[in-house]
Amino acid sequence: MLTITTASASASASISPPATPNLQLINRRHLLLLTSLSLSSFSVSDSVATARGLLQMPPPRLTNRYFLVRAGESQYESLGIINTNPVAKTSVDSGLSDKGKKQTLKSALELKAMGACERNCWIWPSITQRAYQAAEIIAAVNGVSRSYIVPEYSFLDARGLGAYEGKELEAISQVYESDSISSTIKPPPIDDGTPNESVADVFVRVTQLMSILETQYSEDTVIIVSPDSDNLTILQAGLVGLDLRRHSELSFGPGEVRYVDPSSIPTYKQPASAVYKCLNPPNCN
């Protein structure tokens, strides 16, 4: 900690003879001057880019293999209500519905059939109730120890839909209409604490997540469990170089599982033309 002290107001006012220059002090000042000049020669943007070490999207290769899973239907979804406020993400009401538990069991069995955890695997769920419940079901079915479940506290939060919070699920189509125009358009804001995130905002989050996973693991299998579809569609679009403005065309149904590979995109959701490609997301214009 840097402590700065000041001279006492009661210091003597008498005049002292000139002091002999302190060579040690002069050398320190000289060193500080040289250091400041050296730092100023670096580009700020270069130093920030180097420090953050974010994964470049689309990546030339991945160190690990990944499976993307959307948690089964939530209690709110069973009522047809949009719920994305992170304040409620750990509440019981944000958990899986009975139908959602069955959907998640199906996805766990699908992962087992795909051999996802044959050589063990790491399960990274959002801390959101339904996603974490889904992770526990996946672990139980695939014989994975609970110690291999790594809860994620922010990067996998459901996309905040602002003023659409509490509206009927069908209203999300209006959000996707805006997404198709620009990846930077945000849903209207609201004052209840619900974020209003653009596609670009979510892209930053999931890119940060992938950067952590690619740094932390090597030649491992990671199952990413999201509470909603948008995290996964935006992530998959970024990974395979698809235009983020059309991420919703890759939508995940509750309990859906995909292996991260261009061929894992369902045929009926394949891009219609090369215009769909995006080699520098989120700038896809």
Side-chain angles (χ1 to χ4, degrees):
M1 178 181 292
L2 178 62
T3 303
I4 300 176
T5 58
T6 58
S8 170
S10 61
S12 172
S14 61
I15 300 175
S16 302
T20 302
N22 188 327
L23 294 180
Q24 186 177 15
L25 179 59
I26 292 174
N27 287 337
R28 286 179 178 173
R29 287 176 177 169
H30 182 66
L31 180 60
L32 286 171
L33 177 61
L34 289 176
T35 303
S36 63
L37 289 173
S38 298
L39 289 174
S40 65
S41 67
F42 288 99
S43 165
V44 174
S45 59
D46 288 346
S47 60
V48 171
T50 302
R52 68 184 182 181
L54 287 179
L55 184 73
Q56 178 63 46
M57 292 284 203
R61 64 180 294 274
L62 291 171
T63 302
N64 307 294
R65 67 171 186 158
Y66 296 91
F67 293 86
L68 307 182
V69 181
R70 177 181 173 182
E73 177 190 74
S74 70
Q75 297 282 1
Y76 279 107
E77 288 171 332
S78 70
L79 299 174
I81 298 173
I82 293 175
N83 176 254
T84 62
N85 192 327
V87 172
K89 64 185 178 181
T90 58
S91 72
V92 175
D93 291 335
S94 292
L96 294 170
S97 65
D98 290 340
K99 181 179 179 180
K101 292 174 183 176
K102 293 176 182 177
Q103 291 169 332
T104 301
L105 177 59
K106 182 179 178 181
S107 65
L109 292 170
E110 187 175 349
L111 285 165
K112 187 172 185 177
M114 296 169 77
C117 297
E118 282 183 351
R119 292 173 294 174
N120 217 336
C121 62
W122 294 92
I123 305 175
W124 275 61
S126 162
I127 195 63
T128 303
Q129 185 78 347
R130 60 185 177 277
Y132 195 82
Q133 287 177 338
E136 291 181 316
I137 293 172
I138 291 170
V141 170
N142 286 272
V144 177
S145 168
R146 289 175 63 92
S147 63
Y148 281 81
I149 299 177
V150 184
E152 214 305 303
Y153 288 85
S154 59
F155 293 148
L156 282 174
D157 282 358
R159 178 185 178 185
L161 297 180
Y164 288 94
E165 185 75 0
K167 294 185 180 295
E168 295 182 355
L169 285 175
E170 291 75 13
I172 200 170
S173 62
Q174 299 172 33
V175 177
Y176 293 155
E177 287 178 10
S178 296
D179 289 351
S180 68
I181 297 171
S182 172
S183 63
T184 61
I185 296 178
K186 297 174 179 283
I190 193 172
D191 59 5
D192 70 347
T194 304
N196 58 320
E197 295 183 295
S198 67
V199 171
D201 292 332
V202 177
F203 178 75
V204 170
R205 286 202 279 111
V206 295
T207 300
Q208 290 172 324
L209 172 67
M210 289 301 296
S211 299
I212 292 171
L213 295 175
E214 282 292 280
T215 301
Q216 187 165 331
Y217 304 115
S218 179
E219 298 184 2
D220 282 318
T221 296
V222 182
I223 299 172
I224 297 173
V225 186
S226 171
D228 69 346
S229 174
D230 285 8
N231 282 333
L232 303 179
T233 57
I234 293 169
L235 173 57
Q236 186 169 37
L239 288 173
V240 301
L242 304 181
D243 191 327
L244 298 184
R245 292 173 296 181
R246 298 177 65 180
H247 76 93
S248 62
E249 296 179 25
L250 306 178
S251 62
F252 281 67
E256 186 171 349
V257 177
R258 288 184 208 163
Y259 173 59
V260 174
D261 185 86
S263 63
S264 70
I265 300 175
T267 303
Y268 68 92
K269 294 179 180 177
Q270 290 288 333
S273 70
V275 176
Y276 204 82
K277 298 296 288 183
C278 178
L279 300 181
N280 186 32
N283 301 313
C284 301
N285 294 324

mmCIF file of all heavy atoms in Angstrom, residues 94-140:
data_model
loop_
_atom_site.group_PDB
_atom_site.id
_atom_site.type_symbol
_atom_site.label_atom_id
_atom_site.label_comp_id
_atom_site.label_asym_id
_atom_site.label_seq_id
_atom_site.Cartn_x
_atom_site.Cartn_y
_atom_site.Cartn_z
ATOM 1 N N SER A 94 -37.181 -21.083 -10.446
ATOM 2 C CA SER A 94 -36.341 -21.115 -11.639
ATOM 3 C C SER A 94 -35.844 -22.524 -11.937
ATOM 4 O O SER A 94 -35.063 -22.728 -12.865
ATOM 5 C CB SER A 94 -35.134 -20.180 -11.466
ATOM 6 O OG SER A 94 -35.540 -18.832 -11.443
ATOM 7 N N GLY A 95 -36.316 -23.488 -11.140
ATOM 8 C CA GLY A 95 -35.894 -24.868 -11.328
ATOM 9 C C GLY A 95 -36.636 -25.561 -12.455
ATOM 10 O O GLY A 95 -37.496 -24.984 -13.119
ATOM 11 N N LEU A 96 -36.309 -26.826 -12.668
ATOM 12 C CA LEU A 96 -36.928 -27.615 -13.733
ATOM 13 C C LEU A 96 -38.378 -27.960 -13.389
ATOM 14 O O LEU A 96 -38.692 -28.285 -12.238
ATOM 15 C CB LEU A 96 -36.145 -28.916 -13.941
ATOM 16 C CG LEU A 96 -34.716 -28.800 -14.474
ATOM 17 C CD1 LEU A 96 -34.004 -30.154 -14.377
ATOM 18 C CD2 LEU A 96 -34.719 -28.301 -15.916
ATOM 19 N N SER A 97 -39.228 -27.919 -14.396
ATOM 20 C CA SER A 97 -40.596 -28.394 -14.238
ATOM 21 C C SER A 97 -40.551 -29.926 -14.341
ATOM 22 O O SER A 97 -39.507 -30.513 -14.652
ATOM 23 C CB SER A 97 -41.490 -27.820 -15.342
ATOM 24 O OG SER A 97 -41.082 -28.318 -16.616
ATOM 25 N N ASP A 98 -41.670 -30.583 -14.116
ATOM 26 C CA ASP A 98 -41.704 -32.049 -14.263
ATOM 27 C C ASP A 98 -41.350 -32.443 -15.686
ATOM 28 O O ASP A 98 -40.593 -33.399 -15.914
ATOM 29 C CB ASP A 98 -43.091 -32.580 -13.889
ATOM 30 C CG ASP A 98 -43.369 -32.477 -12.391
ATOM 31 O OD1 ASP A 98 -42.389 -32.374 -11.616
ATOM 32 O OD2 ASP A 98 -44.553 -32.489 -11.996
ATOM 33 N N LYS A 99 -41.874 -31.688 -16.643
ATOM 34 C CA LYS A 99 -41.560 -31.956 -18.049
ATOM 35 C C LYS A 99 -40.077 -31.694 -18.303
ATOM 36 O O LYS A 99 -39.414 -32.450 -19.028
ATOM 37 C CB LYS A 99 -42.414 -31.062 -18.950
ATOM 38 C CG LYS A 99 -42.179 -31.266 -20.441
ATOM 39 C CD LYS A 99 -43.081 -30.358 -21.263
ATOM 40 C CE LYS A 99 -42.846 -30.537 -22.759
ATOM 41 N NZ LYS A 99 -43.736 -29.641 -23.558
ATOM 42 N N GLY A 100 -39.555 -30.633 -17.674
ATOM 43 C CA GLY A 100 -38.149 -30.292 -17.842
ATOM 44 C C GLY A 100 -37.216 -31.364 -17.307
ATOM 45 O O GLY A 100 -36.141 -31.609 -17.880
ATOM 46 N N LYS A 101 -37.612 -32.028 -16.224
ATOM 47 C CA LYS A 101 -36.791 -33.113 -15.669
ATOM 48 C C LYS A 101 -36.728 -34.286 -16.637
ATOM 49 O O LYS A 101 -35.664 -34.909 -16.811
ATOM 50 C CB LYS A 101 -37.367 -33.557 -14.322
ATOM 51 C CG LYS A 101 -37.228 -32.504 -13.229
ATOM 52 C CD LYS A 101 -37.931 -32.919 -11.941
ATOM 53 C CE LYS A 101 -37.835 -31.808 -10.889
ATOM 54 N NZ LYS A 101 -38.585 -32.124 -9.658
ATOM 55 N N LYS A 102 -37.854 -34.574 -17.287
ATOM 56 C CA LYS A 102 -37.876 -35.665 -18.266
ATOM 57 C C LYS A 102 -37.029 -35.308 -19.484
ATOM 58 O O LYS A 102 -36.310 -36.154 -20.031
ATOM 59 C CB LYS A 102 -39.321 -35.950 -18.686
ATOM 60 C CG LYS A 102 -40.192 -36.514 -17.571
ATOM 61 C CD LYS A 102 -41.641 -36.692 -18.018
ATOM 62 C CE LYS A 102 -42.505 -37.212 -16.880
ATOM 63 N NZ LYS A 102 -43.943 -37.338 -17.270
ATOM 64 N N GLN A 103 -37.115 -34.050 -19.912
ATOM 65 C CA GLN A 103 -36.309 -33.597 -21.050
ATOM 66 C C GLN A 103 -34.820 -33.694 -20.732
ATOM 67 O O GLN A 103 -34.017 -34.096 -21.582
ATOM 68 C CB GLN A 103 -36.675 -32.151 -21.404
ATOM 69 C CG GLN A 103 -38.066 -31.983 -21.986
ATOM 70 C CD GLN A 103 -38.492 -30.520 -22.074
ATOM 71 O OE1 GLN A 103 -38.030 -29.687 -21.287
ATOM 72 N NE2 GLN A 103 -39.359 -30.206 -23.017
ATOM 73 N N THR A 104 -34.469 -33.342 -19.502
ATOM 74 C CA THR A 104 -33.067 -33.374 -19.100
ATOM 75 C C THR A 104 -32.564 -34.811 -18.969
ATOM 76 O O THR A 104 -31.414 -35.115 -19.319
ATOM 77 C CB THR A 104 -32.867 -32.632 -17.768
ATOM 78 O OG1 THR A 104 -33.310 -31.278 -17.922
ATOM 79 C CG2 THR A 104 -31.411 -32.638 -17.352
ATOM 80 N N LEU A 105 -33.413 -35.699 -18.484
ATOM 81 C CA LEU A 105 -33.041 -37.112 -18.405
ATOM 82 C C LEU A 105 -32.755 -37.648 -19.806
ATOM 83 O O LEU A 105 -31.781 -38.388 -20.012
ATOM 84 C CB LEU A 105 -34.157 -37.918 -17.746
ATOM 85 C CG LEU A 105 -33.925 -39.442 -17.651
ATOM 86 C CD1 LEU A 105 -32.663 -39.741 -16.868
ATOM 87 C CD2 LEU A 105 -35.144 -40.123 -17.011
ATOM 88 N N LYS A 106 -33.571 -37.230 -20.759
ATOM 89 C CA LYS A 106 -33.363 -37.653 -22.145
ATOM 90 C C LYS A 106 -32.022 -37.130 -22.667
ATOM 91 O O LYS A 106 -31.285 -37.853 -23.352
ATOM 92 C CB LYS A 106 -34.509 -37.135 -23.020
ATOM 93 C CG LYS A 106 -34.415 -37.565 -24.475
ATOM 94 C CD LYS A 106 -35.603 -37.040 -25.282
ATOM 95 C CE LYS A 106 -35.462 -37.445 -26.751
ATOM 96 N NZ LYS A 106 -36.606 -36.925 -27.561
ATOM 97 N N SER A 107 -31.703 -35.884 -22.338
ATOM 98 C CA SER A 107 -30.435 -35.321 -22.806
ATOM 99 C C SER A 107 -29.254 -36.025 -22.138
ATOM 100 O O SER A 107 -28.204 -36.235 -22.767
ATOM 101 C CB SER A 107 -30.384 -33.815 -22.528
ATOM 102 O OG SER A 107 -30.381 -33.535 -21.142
ATOM 103 N N ALA A 108 -29.413 -36.423 -20.869
ATOM 104 C CA ALA A 108 -28.345 -37.149 -20.163
ATOM 105 C C ALA A 108 -28.095 -38.502 -20.815
ATOM 106 O O ALA A 108 -26.938 -38.915 -20.984
ATOM 107 C CB ALA A 108 -28.724 -37.320 -18.693
ATOM 108 N N LEU A 109 -29.163 -39.167 -21.198
ATOM 109 C CA LEU A 109 -29.033 -40.465 -21.870
ATOM 110 C C LEU A 109 -28.425 -40.298 -23.265
ATOM 111 O O LEU A 109 -27.650 -41.145 -23.721
ATOM 112 C CB LEU A 109 -30.403 -41.140 -21.961
ATOM 113 C CG LEU A 109 -31.005 -41.603 -20.617
ATOM 114 C CD1 LEU A 109 -32.456 -42.038 -20.797
ATOM 115 C CD2 LEU A 109 -30.174 -42.748 -20.021
ATOM 116 N N GLU A 110 -28.765 -39.196 -23.911
ATOM 117 C CA GLU A 110 -28.198 -38.915 -25.227
ATOM 118 C C GLU A 110 -26.691 -38.685 -25.123
ATOM 119 O O GLU A 110 -25.915 -39.173 -25.958
ATOM 120 C CB GLU A 110 -28.885 -37.694 -25.846
ATOM 121 C CG GLU A 110 -28.472 -37.421 -27.284
ATOM 122 C CD GLU A 110 -29.250 -36.272 -27.913
ATOM 123 O OE1 GLU A 110 -30.247 -35.826 -27.317
ATOM 124 O OE2 GLU A 110 -28.849 -35.828 -29.001
ATOM 125 N N LEU A 111 -26.273 -37.947 -24.104
ATOM 126 C CA LEU A 111 -24.841 -37.723 -23.890
ATOM 127 C C LEU A 111 -24.126 -39.050 -23.624
ATOM 128 O O LEU A 111 -23.002 -39.269 -24.105
ATOM 129 C CB LEU A 111 -24.625 -36.775 -22.703
ATOM 130 C CG LEU A 111 -24.914 -35.293 -22.972
ATOM 131 C CD1 LEU A 111 -25.026 -34.531 -21.653
ATOM 132 C CD2 LEU A 111 -23.816 -34.687 -23.835
ATOM 133 N N LYS A 112 -24.791 -39.930 -22.879
ATOM 134 C CA LYS A 112 -24.202 -41.242 -22.597
ATOM 135 C C LYS A 112 -24.056 -42.047 -23.879
ATOM 136 O O LYS A 112 -23.012 -42.694 -24.113
ATOM 137 C CB LYS A 112 -25.077 -41.998 -21.589
ATOM 138 C CG LYS A 112 -24.463 -43.302 -21.104
ATOM 139 C CD LYS A 112 -25.279 -43.916 -19.975
ATOM 140 C CE LYS A 112 -24.596 -45.152 -19.422
ATOM 141 N NZ LYS A 112 -25.352 -45.728 -18.272
ATOM 142 N N ALA A 113 -25.065 -42.005 -24.748
ATOM 143 C CA ALA A 113 -25.005 -42.723 -26.021
ATOM 144 C C ALA A 113 -23.920 -42.159 -26.932
ATOM 145 O O ALA A 113 -23.324 -42.885 -27.738
ATOM 146 C CB ALA A 113 -26.367 -42.639 -26.715
ATOM 147 N N MET A 114 -23.644 -40.868 -26.791
ATOM 148 C CA MET A 114 -22.608 -40.212 -27.595
ATOM 149 C C MET A 114 -21.208 -40.431 -27.014
ATOM 150 O O MET A 114 -20.208 -40.011 -27.609
ATOM 151 C CB MET A 114 -22.893 -38.703 -27.678
ATOM 152 C CG MET A 114 -24.190 -38.362 -28.398
ATOM 153 S SD MET A 114 -24.668 -36.606 -28.213
ATOM 154 C CE MET A 114 -23.542 -35.819 -29.366
ATOM 155 N N GLY A 115 -21.135 -41.078 -25.859
ATOM 156 C CA GLY A 115 -19.838 -41.339 -25.230
ATOM 157 C C GLY A 115 -19.167 -40.098 -24.691
ATOM 158 O O GLY A 115 -17.934 -40.036 -24.591
ATOM 159 N N ALA A 116 -19.971 -39.113 -24.308
ATOM 160 C CA ALA A 116 -19.415 -37.836 -23.872
ATOM 161 C C ALA A 116 -18.512 -37.975 -22.652
ATOM 162 O O ALA A 116 -17.489 -37.283 -22.546
ATOM 163 C CB ALA A 116 -20.543 -36.849 -23.569
ATOM 164 N N CYS A 117 -18.881 -38.874 -21.735
ATOM 165 C CA CYS A 117 -18.115 -38.975 -20.487
ATOM 166 C C CYS A 117 -17.434 -40.333 -20.312
ATOM 167 O O CYS A 117 -17.125 -40.742 -19.178
ATOM 168 C CB CYS A 117 -19.035 -38.696 -19.297
ATOM 169 S SG CYS A 117 -19.733 -37.023 -19.294
ATOM 170 N N GLU A 118 -17.165 -41.003 -21.400
ATOM 171 C CA GLU A 118 -16.513 -42.312 -21.308
ATOM 172 C C GLU A 118 -15.154 -42.210 -20.641
ATOM 173 O O GLU A 118 -14.743 -43.093 -19.886
ATOM 174 C CB GLU A 118 -16.372 -42.926 -22.709
ATOM 175 C CG GLU A 118 -17.660 -43.534 -23.237
ATOM 176 C CD GLU A 118 -17.462 -44.202 -24.587
ATOM 177 O OE1 GLU A 118 -16.366 -44.043 -25.181
ATOM 178 O OE2 GLU A 118 -18.395 -44.876 -25.057
ATOM 179 N N ARG A 119 -14.429 -41.156 -20.953
ATOM 180 C CA ARG A 119 -13.102 -40.947 -20.336
ATOM 181 C C ARG A 119 -13.172 -39.802 -19.329
ATOM 182 O O ARG A 119 -12.228 -39.047 -19.158
ATOM 183 C CB ARG A 119 -12.070 -40.641 -21.422
ATOM 184 C CG ARG A 119 -11.796 -41.826 -22.334
ATOM 185 C CD ARG A 119 -10.910 -41.409 -23.485
ATOM 186 N NE ARG A 119 -11.593 -40.465 -24.375
ATOM 187 C CZ ARG A 119 -11.005 -39.850 -25.387
ATOM 188 N NH1 ARG A 119 -9.724 -40.047 -25.623
ATOM 189 N NH2 ARG A 119 -11.693 -39.022 -26.155
ATOM 190 N N ASN A 120 -14.308 -39.721 -18.693
ATOM 191 C CA ASN A 120 -14.617 -38.660 -17.733
ATOM 192 C C ASN A 120 -14.878 -37.341 -18.458
ATOM 193 O O ASN A 120 -14.551 -37.172 -19.624
ATOM 194 C CB ASN A 120 -13.520 -38.462 -16.689
ATOM 195 C CG ASN A 120 -14.121 -38.122 -15.320
ATOM 196 O OD1 ASN A 120 -15.232 -37.614 -15.226
ATOM 197 N ND2 ASN A 120 -13.380 -38.422 -14.263
ATOM 198 N N CYS A 121 -15.474 -36.407 -17.751
ATOM 199 C CA CYS A 121 -15.814 -35.120 -18.353
ATOM 200 C C CYS A 121 -16.034 -34.101 -17.244
ATOM 201 O O CYS A 121 -16.250 -34.454 -16.081
ATOM 202 C CB CYS A 121 -17.076 -35.237 -19.215
ATOM 203 S SG CYS A 121 -18.549 -35.716 -18.268
ATOM 204 N N TRP A 122 -15.962 -32.844 -17.618
ATOM 205 C CA TRP A 122 -16.277 -31.736 -16.733
ATOM 206 C C TRP A 122 -17.623 -31.161 -17.141
ATOM 207 O O TRP A 122 -17.888 -31.008 -18.335
ATOM 208 C CB TRP A 122 -15.212 -30.647 -16.826
ATOM 209 C CG TRP A 122 -13.874 -31.081 -16.321
ATOM 210 C CD1 TRP A 122 -12.858 -31.629 -17.051
ATOM 211 C CD2 TRP A 122 -13.402 -31.013 -14.967
ATOM 212 N NE1 TRP A 122 -11.783 -31.908 -16.247
ATOM 213 C CE2 TRP A 122 -12.083 -31.533 -14.952
ATOM 214 C CE3 TRP A 122 -13.959 -30.549 -13.777
ATOM 215 C CZ2 TRP A 122 -11.318 -31.609 -13.795
ATOM 216 C CZ3 TRP A 122 -13.200 -30.625 -12.620
ATOM 217 C CH2 TRP A 122 -11.894 -31.149 -12.634
ATOM 218 N N ILE A 123 -18.462 -30.870 -16.167
ATOM 219 C CA ILE A 123 -19.777 -30.315 -16.455
ATOM 220 C C ILE A 123 -19.812 -28.888 -15.917
ATOM 221 O O ILE A 123 -19.636 -28.659 -14.714
ATOM 222 C CB ILE A 123 -20.896 -31.161 -15.810
ATOM 223 C CG1 ILE A 123 -20.775 -32.624 -16.257
ATOM 224 C CG2 ILE A 123 -22.268 -30.600 -16.185
ATOM 225 C CD1 ILE A 123 -21.758 -33.571 -15.571
ATOM 226 N N TRP A 124 -20.011 -27.942 -16.824
ATOM 227 C CA TRP A 124 -20.044 -26.516 -16.448
ATOM 228 C C TRP A 124 -21.461 -25.980 -16.628
ATOM 229 O O TRP A 124 -21.833 -25.563 -17.719
ATOM 230 C CB TRP A 124 -19.048 -25.725 -17.309
ATOM 231 C CG TRP A 124 -17.651 -25.738 -16.769
ATOM 232 C CD1 TRP A 124 -16.857 -26.834 -16.577
ATOM 233 C CD2 TRP A 124 -16.882 -24.605 -16.324
ATOM 234 N NE1 TRP A 124 -15.642 -26.460 -16.056
ATOM 235 C CE2 TRP A 124 -15.625 -25.098 -15.889
ATOM 236 C CE3 TRP A 124 -17.135 -23.234 -16.269
ATOM 237 C CZ2 TRP A 124 -14.624 -24.270 -15.397
ATOM 238 C CZ3 TRP A 124 -16.128 -22.407 -15.783
ATOM 239 C CH2 TRP A 124 -14.897 -22.914 -15.350
ATOM 240 N N PRO A 125 -22.261 -25.959 -15.571
ATOM 241 C CA PRO A 125 -23.608 -25.396 -15.658
ATOM 242 C C PRO A 125 -23.643 -23.968 -15.130
ATOM 243 O O PRO A 125 -22.836 -23.572 -14.290
ATOM 244 C CB PRO A 125 -24.421 -26.308 -14.740
ATOM 245 C CG PRO A 125 -23.444 -26.624 -13.627
ATOM 246 C CD PRO A 125 -22.064 -26.679 -14.285
ATOM 247 N N SER A 126 -24.602 -23.206 -15.614
ATOM 248 C CA SER A 126 -24.909 -21.932 -14.969
ATOM 249 C C SER A 126 -25.388 -22.249 -13.559
ATOM 250 O O SER A 126 -25.963 -23.316 -13.303
ATOM 251 C CB SER A 126 -26.018 -21.214 -15.743
ATOM 252 O OG SER A 126 -26.619 -20.212 -14.961
ATOM 253 N N ILE A 127 -25.153 -21.323 -12.629
ATOM 254 C CA ILE A 127 -25.639 -21.509 -11.262
ATOM 255 C C ILE A 127 -27.161 -21.367 -11.207
ATOM 256 O O ILE A 127 -27.795 -21.678 -10.197
ATOM 257 C CB ILE A 127 -24.966 -20.498 -10.309
ATOM 258 C CG1 ILE A 127 -25.166 -20.917 -8.842
ATOM 259 C CG2 ILE A 127 -25.479 -19.081 -10.550
ATOM 260 C CD1 ILE A 127 -24.524 -22.224 -8.482
ATOM 261 N N THR A 128 -27.773 -20.934 -12.304
ATOM 262 C CA THR A 128 -29.238 -20.860 -12.386
ATOM 263 C C THR A 128 -29.826 -22.223 -12.020
ATOM 264 O O THR A 128 -29.338 -23.259 -12.489
ATOM 265 C CB THR A 128 -29.683 -20.450 -13.800
ATOM 266 O OG1 THR A 128 -29.071 -19.203 -14.128
ATOM 267 C CG2 THR A 128 -31.192 -20.311 -13.886
ATOM 268 N N GLN A 129 -30.863 -22.209 -11.233
ATOM 269 C CA GLN A 129 -31.396 -23.433 -10.647
ATOM 270 C C GLN A 129 -31.620 -24.560 -11.656
ATOM 271 O O GLN A 129 -31.180 -25.691 -11.454
ATOM 272 C CB GLN A 129 -32.711 -23.114 -9.913
ATOM 273 C CG GLN A 129 -33.316 -24.272 -9.147
ATOM 274 C CD GLN A 129 -32.625 -24.526 -7.817
ATOM 275 O OE1 GLN A 129 -31.555 -24.023 -7.546
ATOM 276 N NE2 GLN A 129 -33.250 -25.345 -6.983
ATOM 277 N N ARG A 130 -32.304 -24.278 -12.746
ATOM 278 C CA ARG A 130 -32.636 -25.348 -13.699
ATOM 279 C C ARG A 130 -31.386 -25.920 -14.370
ATOM 280 O O ARG A 130 -31.323 -27.117 -14.653
ATOM 281 C CB ARG A 130 -33.634 -24.868 -14.748
ATOM 282 C CG ARG A 130 -33.187 -23.704 -15.619
ATOM 283 C CD ARG A 130 -34.347 -23.268 -16.525
ATOM 284 N NE ARG A 130 -34.056 -22.103 -17.362
ATOM 285 C CZ ARG A 130 -34.148 -20.843 -16.942
ATOM 286 N NH1 ARG A 130 -34.492 -20.601 -15.683
ATOM 287 N NH2 ARG A 130 -33.902 -19.835 -17.766
ATOM 288 N N ALA A 131 -30.397 -25.065 -14.625
ATOM 289 C CA ALA A 131 -29.169 -25.532 -15.274
ATOM 290 C C ALA A 131 -28.360 -26.407 -14.314
ATOM 291 O O ALA A 131 -27.807 -27.441 -14.714
ATOM 292 C CB ALA A 131 -28.333 -24.348 -15.750
ATOM 293 N N TYR A 132 -28.302 -26.006 -13.052
ATOM 294 C CA TYR A 132 -27.544 -26.805 -12.095
ATOM 295 C C TYR A 132 -28.250 -28.132 -11.821
ATOM 296 O O TYR A 132 -27.602 -29.177 -11.689
ATOM 297 C CB TYR A 132 -27.335 -26.040 -10.786
ATOM 298 C CG TYR A 132 -26.256 -26.669 -9.934
ATOM 299 C CD1 TYR A 132 -24.926 -26.392 -10.184
ATOM 300 C CD2 TYR A 132 -26.574 -27.571 -8.917
ATOM 301 C CE1 TYR A 132 -23.919 -26.990 -9.435
ATOM 302 C CE2 TYR A 132 -25.580 -28.173 -8.165
ATOM 303 C CZ TYR A 132 -24.253 -27.883 -8.430
ATOM 304 O OH TYR A 132 -23.257 -28.486 -7.701
ATOM 305 N N GLN A 133 -29.581 -28.106 -11.755
ATOM 306 C CA GLN A 133 -30.320 -29.359 -11.594
ATOM 307 C C GLN A 133 -30.054 -30.281 -12.777
ATOM 308 O O GLN A 133 -29.889 -31.502 -12.612
ATOM 309 C CB GLN A 133 -31.818 -29.064 -11.485
ATOM 310 C CG GLN A 133 -32.240 -28.456 -10.161
ATOM 311 C CD GLN A 133 -33.729 -28.121 -10.127
ATOM 312 O OE1 GLN A 133 -34.371 -27.959 -11.168
ATOM 313 N NE2 GLN A 133 -34.285 -28.002 -8.924
ATOM 314 N N ALA A 134 -30.019 -29.697 -13.972
ATOM 315 C CA ALA A 134 -29.739 -30.486 -15.180
ATOM 316 C C ALA A 134 -28.352 -31.112 -15.093
ATOM 317 O O ALA A 134 -28.156 -32.277 -15.457
ATOM 318 C CB ALA A 134 -29.848 -29.604 -16.425
ATOM 319 N N ALA A 135 -27.379 -30.351 -14.596
ATOM 320 C CA ALA A 135 -26.013 -30.862 -14.464
ATOM 321 C C ALA A 135 -25.967 -32.062 -13.518
ATOM 322 O O ALA A 135 -25.255 -33.045 -13.761
ATOM 323 C CB ALA A 135 -25.097 -29.754 -13.968
ATOM 324 N N GLU A 136 -26.731 -31.982 -12.433
ATOM 325 C CA GLU A 136 -26.751 -33.086 -11.472
ATOM 326 C C GLU A 136 -27.350 -34.349 -12.093
ATOM 327 O O GLU A 136 -26.859 -35.454 -11.859
ATOM 328 C CB GLU A 136 -27.550 -32.671 -10.232
ATOM 329 C CG GLU A 136 -26.856 -31.596 -9.390
ATOM 330 C CD GLU A 136 -27.646 -31.220 -8.154
ATOM 331 O OE1 GLU A 136 -28.872 -31.052 -8.258
ATOM 332 O OE2 GLU A 136 -27.028 -31.102 -7.081
ATOM 333 N N ILE A 137 -28.381 -34.175 -12.904
ATOM 334 C CA ILE A 137 -28.998 -35.327 -13.580
ATOM 335 C C ILE A 137 -28.016 -35.920 -14.584
ATOM 336 O O ILE A 137 -27.850 -37.148 -14.676
ATOM 337 C CB ILE A 137 -30.306 -34.905 -14.273
ATOM 338 C CG1 ILE A 137 -31.358 -34.518 -13.229
ATOM 339 C CG2 ILE A 137 -30.830 -36.028 -15.171
ATOM 340 C CD1 ILE A 137 -32.627 -33.908 -13.809
ATOM 341 N N ILE A 138 -27.359 -35.059 -15.352
ATOM 342 C CA ILE A 138 -26.374 -35.522 -16.348
ATOM 343 C C ILE A 138 -25.243 -36.284 -15.662
ATOM 344 O O ILE A 138 -24.807 -37.349 -16.129
ATOM 345 C CB ILE A 138 -25.803 -34.323 -17.135
ATOM 346 C CG1 ILE A 138 -26.889 -33.737 -18.043
ATOM 347 C CG2 ILE A 138 -24.585 -34.731 -17.963
ATOM 348 C CD1 ILE A 138 -26.517 -32.405 -18.675
ATOM 349 N N ALA A 139 -24.771 -35.764 -14.536
ATOM 350 C CA ALA A 139 -23.686 -36.420 -13.802
ATOM 351 C C ALA A 139 -24.119 -37.792 -13.284
ATOM 352 O O ALA A 139 -23.379 -38.779 -13.399
ATOM 353 C CB ALA A 139 -23.240 -35.533 -12.639
ATOM 354 N N ALA A 140 -25.320 -37.869 -12.734
ATOM 355 C CA ALA A 140 -25.808 -39.129 -12.169
ATOM 356 C C ALA A 140 -25.944 -40.198 -13.253
ATOM 357 O O ALA A 140 -25.528 -41.350 -13.057
ATOM 358 C CB ALA A 140 -27.147 -38.892 -11.481
#
